Amino acid sequence: MTANVWFRRYNFGTGGVTEALHQLSELVSQGKVRPLVDSVYNFDDALKAYERIMTQHAVGKVIVKAPTTSS
């Protein structure tokens, strides 16, 4: 007995993706879409951020802020 397996084919041509990103950008600009951020860590605390991810209790993104350079 064999199982029928169906695969959905996606086309990632530049036209559709570009339009989708433009629409997403508009929604973000209007405040209708916001990222879900669990926590923010300084670069020096990157290990703590990694540990937070590994607990699998993070709800949303764990962000590590890059150090700024002074000129």
Side-chain angles (χ1 to χ4, degrees):
M1 180 190 272
T2 61
N4 289 330
V5 179
W6 295 90
F7 293 95
R8 185 173 296 218
R9 189 174 193 180
Y10 294 97
N11 181 3
F12 292 104
T14 57
V17 172
T18 301
E19 181 61 28
L21 288 174
H22 178 69
Q23 290 174 357
L24 180 60
S25 174
E26 289 293 320
L27 292 172
V28 170
S29 297
Q30 296 168 5
K32 294 181 180 178
V33 175
R34 295 180 310 183
L36 181 59
V37 176
D38 178 82
S39 50
V40 179
Y41 293 89
N42 289 322
F43 187 77
D44 294 337
D45 295 324
L47 181 57
K48 290 180 184 177
Y50 175 75
E51 290 169 348
R52 176 67 181 159
I53 293 168
M54 295 309 293
T55 66
Q56 298 183 350
H57 291 130
V59 177
K61 297 298 180 185
V62 175
I63 297 172
V64 176
K65 295 192 298 186
T68 58
T69 57
S70 58
S71 33

